[in-house]
Amino acid sequence: MSRVYNFSAGPAVLPEEVLKEAADEMLDYRGTGMSVMEMSHRSKAYDTIIKEAEADLRELMKIPDNYKVLFLQGGASQQFAMIPMNLMKNGVADYIVTGQWAKKAYQEACLFGKANKIASSEDKTFSYIPDCSDLPISEDADYVYICENNTIYGTKFKTLPDTKGKTLVADVSSCFLSEPVDVTKYGVIYGGVQKNIGPAGVVIVIIREDLITDDVLPGTPTMLKYKTHADNDSLYNTPPAYGIYICGKVFKWLKQKGGLEKMKEYNEKKAKILYDFLDESKLFKGTVRKEDRSLMNVPFVTGSEELDARFVKEAKEAGFENLKGHRTVGGMRASIYNAMPIEGVEKLVEFMKKFEEANA
Ligand SMILES: *Cc1c(COP(=O)(O)O)cnc(C)c1O
């Protein structure tokens, strides 16, 4: 068996310890004689799995009691619709557009009401986070929406926008559990787990209880109401049971690693290795304004499409997978999520140095 260094933006690298444990439990989950995949979601064994997963996530993120944790399906993209359907009581919401995912969320919200684009960084290919200290927040806005870490462009909000008292909704798909967060600053925090937590198929929604009501847009399907899932502890219908089980293992792995403070330290150390090299390199350049750099997704270019393509190809041959940038940006992108070991980044930088010498 040989494992590569997988720099994919998602689905992405998972901790080896978690994969091994899941493999050990594949045929017989703790004496049940069956795999978690084969288990009723209403069984006692599964009840423990989902309850422990929630409890561990609450502990990691210090989620207050007045927030619900929901394990849903449909990906982060389904939340683009669920958020306006459930929260647009006045039919108005403000969107800060800092990348493709925020833009898609904004466009989706336009289907349901008046969505206002109150700030954007599209003028410079989303390479920075706009100043959000004094935005024209709409008086009747039901919420203000951000994508906190922009997976494709490699930017991250280092300070949250001043929403002037309005509810903040954040897509944290690609920075979920990468550092501590103050949950009380948000009305809704959500993310697809396939970037930094688990296998594709689960989306986690952390939502303040007062936002969960029956007062949703007319025609909202039962399955797309937060209340349906909140009232049934994420078991209204069959949840993505196996995916939640793996997420639960990752939560335990994170706790064992010392929690989110420790993850933040580790992620900062890891990202610094790559950013420091990009800043001194004569060939490779980071594409993001320095103060807005993400700890999770690091896009870079050589300035030549031909060299970019050769780099990606040679890197793959050397065991560094998925370094090609997103199709809308080009160049390269290294996603260095929680489960990417520091050695992976050190070795990548060594390889980049050699490539630079060879192509000087
Ligand atoms: C990947 C990603 C999405 C889309 O996730 P799906 O689960 O494929 O719908 C949305 N937002 C962000 C920030 C992402 O990184």
Side-chain angles (χ1 to χ4, degrees):
M1 183 200 73
S2 89
R3 303 246 316 149
V4 296
Y5 287 114
N6 180 7
F7 293 93
S8 171
V13 57
L14 287 171
E16 241 172 67
E17 296 95 315
V18 166
L19 297 175
K20 280 186 181 145
E21 217 179 273
D24 283 344
E25 293 173 350
M26 184 58 76
L27 296 180
D28 177 8
Y29 176 75
R30 303 190 184 173
T32 57
M34 61 179 90
S35 167
V36 174
M37 268 186 239
E38 304 169 298
M39 200 174 269
S40 163
H41 58 294
R42 314 249 176 234
S43 64
K44 198 157 188 295
Y46 195 75
D47 187 60
T48 305
I49 289 173
I50 192 166
K51 289 224 168 85
E52 268 187 34
E54 178 176 338
D56 287 334
L57 180 64
R58 283 184 175 278
E59 187 182 329
L60 281 166
M61 291 180 73
K62 302 189 170 69
I63 300 174
D65 288 343
N66 63 326
Y67 285 74
K68 288 273 189 202
V69 173
L70 310 176
F71 296 100
L72 308 179
Q73 308 188 47
S77 301
Q78 183 154 286
Q79 293 306 309
F80 299 169
M82 273 181 85
I83 288 158
M85 284 176 142
N86 284 270
L87 303 187
M88 259 191 183
K89 323 271 183 210
N90 298 326
V92 181
D94 289 347
Y95 279 72
I96 300 172
V97 176
T98 51
Q100 294 278 353
W101 297 118
K103 194 173 172 178
K104 283 192 170 165
Y106 161 72
Q107 287 166 340
E108 192 74 3
C110 290
L111 300 175
F112 299 99
K114 190 168 180 308
N116 304 304
K117 198 194 286 181
I118 55 164
S120 166
S121 52
E122 195 163 13
D123 60 332
K124 292 185 183 153
T125 338
F126 299 120
S127 60
Y128 68 102
I129 298 289
D131 178 3
C132 297
S133 57
D134 186 18
L135 294 170
I137 307 285
S138 310
E139 218 153 276
D140 49 354
D142 292 300
Y143 60 89
V144 176
Y145 183 100
I146 62 167
C147 177
E148 194 160 334
N149 185 81
N150 296 280
T151 324
I152 297 175
Y153 301 93
T155 59
K156 158 109 206 285
F157 280 82
K158 300 293 162 77
T159 46
L160 294 174
D162 181 352
T163 64
K164 304 185 179 171
K166 302 296 181 193
T167 297
L168 180 64
V169 175
D171 175 356
V172 299
S173 294
S174 50
C175 59
F176 226 151
L177 304 180
S178 64
E179 56 183 280
V181 286
D182 180 353
V183 175
T184 63
K185 294 213 159 87
Y186 305 78
V188 181
I189 306 180
Y190 80 92
V193 304
Q194 74 272 24
K195 308 290 161 71
N196 206 19
I197 301 180
V202 184
V203 54
I204 297 174
V205 178
I206 300 159
I207 177 169
R208 215 176 53 225
E209 274 171 357
D210 61 283
L211 298 170
I212 305 171
T213 65
D214 274 319
D215 177 21
V216 297
L217 295 188
T220 298
T222 309
M223 273 293 286
L224 298 187
K225 279 169 64 174
Y226 289 127
K227 190 155 192 308
T228 303
H229 300 285
D231 285 351
N232 292 281
D233 297 324
S234 302
L235 293 166
Y236 170 73
N237 70 325
T238 319
Y242 193 82
I244 295 167
Y245 153 76
I246 299 291
C247 291
K249 288 201 180 299
V250 172
F251 300 152
K252 292 208 187 293
W253 179 82
L254 286 166
K255 279 172 64 178
Q256 204 183 38
K257 292 272 160 195
L260 302 191
E261 298 282 351
K262 276 281 174 320
M263 272 336 282
K264 179 173 197 248
E265 270 173 42
Y266 189 65
N267 287 328
E268 281 174 344
K269 198 168 147 195
K270 225 163 49 180
K272 188 174 187 307
I273 297 169
L274 187 47
Y275 283 126
D276 281 354
F277 172 68
L278 289 174
D279 288 341
E280 72 182 34
S281 168
K282 291 200 171 58
L283 180 64
F284 297 101
K285 269 177 268 327
T287 56
V288 168
R289 186 166 75 178
K290 276 189 193 175
E291 56 267 40
D292 301 325
R293 284 171 164 176
S294 163
L295 289 179
M296 297 282 100
N297 311 96
V298 184
F300 55 96
V301 294
T302 64
S304 148
E305 276 183 30
E306 195 193 318
L307 266 186
D308 287 353
R310 183 154 12 116
F311 176 80
V312 171
K313 180 170 171 281
E314 290 181 14
K316 185 178 167 70
E317 285 159 10
F320 304 102
E321 289 273 352
N322 293 314
L323 281 165
K324 196 168 187 291
H326 189 268
R327 58 199 149 75
T328 60
V329 208
M332 282 74 71
R333 172 180 49 176
S335 295
I336 50 176
Y337 296 120
N338 285 346
M340 171 58 64
I342 205 157
E343 301 78 42
V345 178
E346 285 166 350
K347 287 192 178 147
L348 173 65
V349 167
E350 266 171 51
F351 179 80
M352 289 168 78
K353 281 182 182 160
K354 277 197 213 129
F355 186 88
E356 179 166 340
E357 279 163 27
N359 292 280

